[in-house]
Every structure is written in structure tokens, then in C-alpha cells.
């Protein structure tokens, strides 16, 4: 499983990993990204440069960027994710994170406010009560995890594109960047075309009930056209921006577009 | 243009006729590399959420962790798909598939399987595939098409929803993808074992003769 444990309390895990990679001896570094039987496979790739871990890493990163572009090209904003009848819902819907359920953020709904930043006309923060008053729709769609498993769930909330319109967001900007209350500070960028997809949703309810803590209370962003890790939970802020600000998993090597 | 007519003397004067043309050899080895990369990175991805009660040994996976395995898988897929597509187009256009792989008759297959199992299957003329070879080669091409289609469907289950529907649904496409991998691994074992038993066939795939 891709679950990682918190290494040292109070230390940013990603920075720690980044720093420690730098100090790793070359062989260890190579195994870190290529791993196991890879050395043999790497030599097969011909050319001595490829043996060098950083070249292999760079090659893979370039292809991943190329794949971002291919996926953006394939993405058709009018194609909807398949929807299912209630009978198809997976029970129980799995809790999934890089930490145990006990470590999931406990957000106080009364104090919580959604911060809005960046290229928007109205930067006012939103309370949960204010958000609950916005028109909501329900979707029953398949959540597909980067690990391969999938589960069908029922999510209710406000289409993100309606909210972006409401706050006067510059929808020509490249990304909406979400920050979350998860420990280690989860965050994830969403390309604007996907943010404007009709099924991309600010989710407040699961299966008709207020979003439980396990599924991201108080607010999750449900994106049925993306892999699960691009569906942030426990969202505390959104920023409309032209800058690519990276993401928790994206920075560690998951493909950034990761569209379905 | 007289060189186009080949006499018997000229044929016997040439060292040996070309059994595997250059395009087949190049594409074969590119495919071999791409397949190995896809299988080893695929095992890494499988281990993140196993379909069955086992995982692949870490030493036989590529990428170090799920993220690395995915990077390898979605890089090597281009090599596999572009090379595979070129192979299919050339195979049909040159008539190689028709000439080499057809016909496949049940009686022919039965006869040659029996001969192969009793080690009586001759390999005097490597340019003509026996029925066991025809079945395995045609079969593995179909499996190759199936594994790419199920893989594309899993990669883009929304945009290429029709492709997923071909297999039923997303989870089924995952199983299809897995069993195609298993079929390719089984083919690899047999294919490599037979190539080593008949070394001149391996030589033909390297130098053509």
C-alpha cells in the first residue's frame, strides 16, 4: 500500500525525504526510484547515461510531463463520468489516506471557514452554513484509486464551476489549488478545464448525510474525472492561480494530470 | 534488372536465405524490452492493491514504489504501443501474417502438438511455422491487442468509456489486464525455452539467417 507513516513529529515529511535523497549514496538513490530488478532493466536501455539514476529519473519525469499534455488533449469537458444506480454503491465505502482513520483531521464545523484566494473578485471566506445554502446536486460515480481499486459512492454538493462563477474567479487561469487540513499539509492542483467540468463538485454530503470525518468533513472536492488522490478531503482553502504549485503526491512522482 | 531473376546456382551460392527480415527482428527486440518493462512495472502497480492473495517479489518489480512503477509503466507503454502498432500495420501490409500464420486448422494443430510433445516436430525449414508456432504467435498477438485495449480503458475509464464497456466495467477490465499479463508470461516461458531448444531460430531472430 502507498501509506506512509509520519517519520519525525513536527518535521515536514516531504522536505525530510527530499533532503535525505540528496544525502543518499548514488546506488541507494538509484534503487530508490528504479528499485529491484531495475538495474538490469536499465542497462537494457542502452547508453551509459541511463545507468545514472538522475538521467533515468529525468527521462521518466519528462515522459510524465508529456503524458500530462496528452491527457489534457484527450480530455473532453463534455464527456461525463458514468453514473450508477443506488444499488451499485459500494458498502462500506473504503476510508483511504496515507494515515490511519484515527489520525484523520477533526475539523470543527463551527470554526471552519473556506478561504478563497488568488485570481477572484470576491475573496471573502465562507462559513459552512453559507456554503450549505448553495444549490446542491447528487452524483453516484466510481472513485478510482491510483492503486487500482475502485468503489462506487454517492456524493452531494455544489458544482465547483457554479461556485467559481459566484466568487468571480478568472476561469482563464490555469489551476485551482486546494489546501487541506490533513497532517503534513495535503494539497493538490486541479487544472481549470477539469475544475469547470459539470461533475466536479464541492462535496458536503456522502450518501445523503453530512460528510463524515472519514470522507473529508467538512468539505471534499469530488472529481470523478480524476484519480482518487486528486479528490482532496478536509479542504480549507482554494486558490485560483496561473502558477503550478505542486501537490502532496504530485511532488513525489504521481502523474500530475492523472485524469480518467 | 536481370538480377531480379534468381537461378538455382545463385541461391545455393548465398550463405542462407533471410528467415527473419530486418523489420521483424528490430520490432521483436523492441517489443521484448517494452514487454519486460511493462511486466516488471505492472507487478509493482499490482502490489499496491493485489487482486489475489499474493504479491510479486519486490526484487522482480520496477520503480521502487507505486509512483515509480507508474512512471515506468506509462513511459514504456508508448514504446509498446507505437512498436506494436507498427508491427500490426507492417504484418498485414506485407502479407506476412497471412503467409506465416495462416491457415490454422484444428487437425494441423492437434498433429503438431502431438509431434511436439514426443519431440518429433521437425525444424528443417525455419521459414515455415508449424501449427504450434502459428497458434502461439497468432494467439499472443491477440492477447497483445487485448492487454493494450484493457490497459487503455483503465487509463481513461471516463474518456474511453466505450472501451471499458467492451470488457463490462472497470474492475473487469482490471482482471482482463491481469490475465493477459499471465498469458504473456506463460508464452514467454514456452517461447524462450523453445528458442533455446532450437538455437538456430534464436540466431535467425538476431542476424536474420
Amino acid at each position: 500500500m502507498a501509506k506512509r507513516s509520519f517519520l519525525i513529529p513536527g518535521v515536514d515529511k516531504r522536505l525530510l525525504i527530499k533532503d535525505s535523497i540528496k544525502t543518499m549514496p548514488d546506488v541507494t538513490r538509484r534503487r530508490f526510484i528504479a528499485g529491484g530488478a531495475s538495474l538490469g532493466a536499465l542497462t537494457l536501455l542502452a547508453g551509459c547515461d541511463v545507468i545514472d539514476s538522475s538521467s533515468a529519473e529525468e527521462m521518466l519525469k519528462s515522459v510524465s510531463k508529456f503524458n500530462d499534455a496528452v491527457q489534457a488533449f484527450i480530455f473532453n469537458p463534455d464527456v461525463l463520468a458514468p453514473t450508477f444506480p443506488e444499488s451499485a454503491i459500494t458498502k462500506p465505502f473504503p476510508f483511504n489516506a496515507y494515515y490511519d482513520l484515527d489520525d484523520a483531521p477533526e475539523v470543527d464545523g463551527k470554526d471552519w471557514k473556506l478561504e478563497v484566494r488568488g485570481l477572484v473578485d470576491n475573496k471573502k471566506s465562507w462559513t459552512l452554513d453559507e456554503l450549505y445554502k448553495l444549490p446542491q446536486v447528487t452524483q453516484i460515480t466510481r472513485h478510482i484509486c491510483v492503486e487500482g481499486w475502485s468503489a462506487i459512492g454517492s456524493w452531494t454538493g455544489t458544482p465547483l464551476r457554479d461556485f467559481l462563477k459566484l466568487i468571480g474567479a478568472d476561469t482563464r487561469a490555469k489551476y485551482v489549488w486546494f489546501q487541506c487540513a490533513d497532517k503534513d499539509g495535503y494539497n493538490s492542483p486541479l487544472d481549470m478545464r477539469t475544475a469547470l467540468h459539470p461533475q466536479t463538485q464541492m462535496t458536503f454530503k456522502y450518501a445523503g448525510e453530512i460528510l463524515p470525518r472519514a470522507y473529508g468533513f467538512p468539505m471534499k472536492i469530488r472529481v470523478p474525472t480524476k484519480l482518487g488522490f486528486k479528490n482532496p478531503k478536509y479542504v480549507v482553502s482554494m486558490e485560483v492561480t496561473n502558477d503550478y504549485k505542486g501537490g502532496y503526491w504530485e511532488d513525489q512522482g504521481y502523474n500530475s494530470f492523472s485524469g480518467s | 534488372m536481370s538480377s531480379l531473376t534468381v537461378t538455382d546456382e545463385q541461391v545455393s551460392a548465398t550463405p542462407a536465405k533471410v528467415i527473419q527480415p530486418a523489420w521483424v527482428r528490430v520490432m521483436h527486440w523492441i517489443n521484448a524490452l517494452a514487454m519486460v518493462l511493462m511486466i516488471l512495472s505492472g507487478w509493482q502497480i499490482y502490489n499496491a492493491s493485489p487482486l489475489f492473495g499474493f504479491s510479486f517479489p519486490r526484487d522482480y518489480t520496477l520503480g521502487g514504489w507505486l509512483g515509480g512503477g507508474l512512471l515506468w509503466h506509462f513511459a514504456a507503454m508508448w514504446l509498446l504501443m507505437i512498436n506494436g502498432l507498427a508491427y500490426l500495420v507492417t504484418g498485414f501490409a506485407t502479407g506476412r501474417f497471412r503467409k506465416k500464420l495462416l491457415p490454422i486448422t484444428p487437425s494441423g494443430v492437434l498433429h503438431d502438438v502431438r509431434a511436439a510433445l514426443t519431440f518429433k516436430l521437425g525444424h528443417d525449414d525455419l521459414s515455415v511455422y508449424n501449427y504450434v508456432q502459428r497458434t502461439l504467435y497468432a494467439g499472443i498477438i491477440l492477447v497483445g491487442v487485448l492487454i493494450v485495449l484493457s490497459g487503455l480503458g483503465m487509463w481513461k475509464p471516463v474518456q474511453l468509456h466505450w472501451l471499458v464497456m467492451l470488457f463490462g466495467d472497470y474492475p473487469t477490465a482490471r482482471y482482463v489486464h491481469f490475465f493477459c499479463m499471465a498469458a504473456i508470461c506463460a508464452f514467454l516461458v514456452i517461447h524462450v525455452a523453445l528458442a533455446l531448444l532450437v538455437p538456430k531460430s534464436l540466431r535467425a531472430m538476431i542476424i536474420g539467417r
Side-chain angles (χ1 to χ4, degrees):
Chain A
M1 307 296 277
K3 283 171 193 157
R4 269 104 215 286
S5 57
F6 206 33
L7 298 170
I8 304 168
V11 175
D12 185 324
K13 195 196 63 179
R14 271 184 299 155
L15 291 178
L16 185 70
I17 290 176
K18 270 179 195 159
D19 285 345
S20 49
I21 292 172
K22 280 183 207 142
T23 60
M24 279 183 196
D26 257 351
V27 178
T28 321
R29 261 191 81 181
R30 182 191 304 137
R31 292 186 74 88
F32 183 73
I33 188 84
S38 57
L39 190 55
L42 280 172
T43 49
L44 282 173
L45 276 177
C48 35
D49 273 348
V50 182
I51 311 259
D52 176 37
S53 64
S54 55
S55 315
E57 240 179 278
E58 286 311 311
M59 184 272 291
L60 291 174
K61 271 189 203 160
S62 325
V63 178
S64 193
K65 277 206 182 115
F66 170 71
N67 285 340
D68 283 340
V70 171
Q71 293 176 89
F73 177 77
I74 292 175
F75 179 76
N76 179 345
D78 298 326
V79 171
L80 297 181
T83 53
F84 299 86
E86 277 191 30
S87 57
I89 292 173
T90 308
K91 287 172 188 164
F93 190 86
F95 163 79
N96 193 252
Y98 51 91
Y99 43 74
D100 295 328
L101 181 52
D102 290 342
D103 294 329
E106 274 184 279
V107 177
D108 184 345
K110 283 183 244 69
D111 294 344
W112 179 88
K113 271 187 177 181
L114 174 69
E115 241 185 82
V116 175
R117 293 199 304 269
L119 305 169
V120 293
D121 291 337
N122 188 349
K123 292 195 174 77
K124 129 189 169 56
S125 295
W126 291 69
T127 65
L128 208 44
D129 282 339
E130 287 169 332
L131 289 169
Y132 282 164
K133 283 181 190 131
L134 300 173
Q136 299 189 354
V137 288
T138 296
Q139 60 168 281
I140 300 176
T141 47
R142 186 186 293 280
H143 170 108
I144 297 175
C145 181
V146 66
E147 295 174 337
W149 57 266
S150 70
I152 295 170
S154 162
W155 290 274
T156 302
T158 303
L160 180 61
R161 65 174 181 183
D162 293 352
F163 184 74
L164 289 174
K165 206 172 167 186
L166 193 64
I167 61 173
D170 181 358
T171 52
R172 291 164 308 172
K174 286 187 187 150
Y175 305 100
V176 182
W177 190 60
F178 297 100
Q179 280 185 295
C180 306
D182 309 58
K183 66 180 194 174
D184 313 347
Y186 197 88
N187 50 40
S188 186
L190 191 65
D191 56 284
M192 185 57 81
R193 287 170 73 222
T194 303
L196 297 174
H197 186 275
Q199 288 172 312
T200 301
Q201 185 190 80
M202 296 162 74
T203 301
F204 303 111
K205 284 179 180 169
Y206 182 82
E209 306 285 332
I210 293 294
L211 204 61
R213 178 173 161 223
Y215 303 153
F217 180 82
M219 186 175 93
K220 169 198 172 79
I221 304 297
R222 171 71 190 134
V223 193
T225 56
K226 294 281 193 199
L227 292 179
F229 78 92
K230 307 242 5 151
N231 290 234
K233 297 176 286 199
Y234 319 102
V235 174
V236 293
S237 78
M238 70 167 76
E239 178 173 346
V240 177
T241 173
N242 276 313
D243 302 326
Y244 181 74
K245 301 198 173 221
Y248 180 86
W249 285 115
E250 290 87 342
D251 293 351
Q252 296 181 54
Y254 284 173
N255 174 266
S256 185
F257 195 90
S258 283
S260 317
Chain B
M1 299 302 278
S2 59
S3 63
L4 277 178
T5 46
V6 183
T7 64
D8 284 347
E9 289 79 27
Q10 280 171 312
V11 170
S12 50
T14 49
K17 63 176 172 174
V18 172
I19 297 164
Q20 306 291 7
W23 69 268
V24 169
R25 283 178 277 144
V26 169
M27 289 182 188
H28 171 270
W29 290 110
I30 291 178
N31 184 63
L33 169 67
M35 277 293 182
V36 168
L37 292 176
M38 288 306 272
I39 290 169
L40 297 184
S41 57
W43 288 357
Q44 180 76 255
I45 298 166
Y46 169 96
N47 284 355
S49 178
L51 285 170
F52 304 99
F54 70 91
S55 293
F56 293 97
R58 224 187 107 77
D59 281 353
Y60 296 100
T61 61
L62 192 56
W65 70 294
L66 173 61
L70 288 163
L71 286 176
W72 276 106
H73 209 67
F74 291 125
M77 74 170 183
W78 293 111
L79 197 62
L80 185 83
M81 283 199 300
I82 293 168
N83 186 64
L85 207 59
Y87 174 73
L88 286 182
V89 169
T90 322
F92 281 115
T94 58
R96 180 182 165 91
F97 289 162
R98 185 172 38 80
K99 277 181 277 186
K100 292 278 207 174
L101 302 178
L102 295 180
I104 299 175
T105 59
S107 61
V109 175
L110 265 173
H111 176 269
D112 282 359
V113 165
R114 210 170 289 153
L117 292 177
T118 50
F119 294 97
K120 282 177 195 147
L121 197 54
H123 294 282
D124 303 329
D125 187 356
L126 283 180
S127 65
V128 178
Y129 289 154
N130 62 55
Y131 282 93
V132 176
Q133 285 177 301
R134 289 181 198 184
T135 310
L136 283 176
Y137 297 155
I140 207 65
I141 291 172
L142 286 178
V143 172
V145 170
L146 216 57
I147 202 166
V148 168
L149 291 182
S150 58
L152 278 176
M154 285 160 63
W155 186 46
K156 291 278 153 264
V158 173
Q159 300 300 332
L160 303 181
H161 183 230
W162 53 273
L163 207 49
V164 178
M165 292 302 287
L166 210 66
F167 299 101
D169 57 12
Y170 173 86
T172 314
R174 246 183 116 204
Y175 281 99
V176 171
H177 201 64
F178 177 89
F179 286 118
C180 286
M181 177 279 295
I184 289 169
C185 289
F187 171 86
L188 251 173
V189 171
I190 299 169
H191 185 60
V192 171
L194 291 181
L196 294 177
L197 276 174
V198 189
K200 61 182 176 176
S201 69
L202 183 59
R203 192 191 63 188
M205 192 47 89
I206 296 168
I207 62 170
R209 293 162 200 279

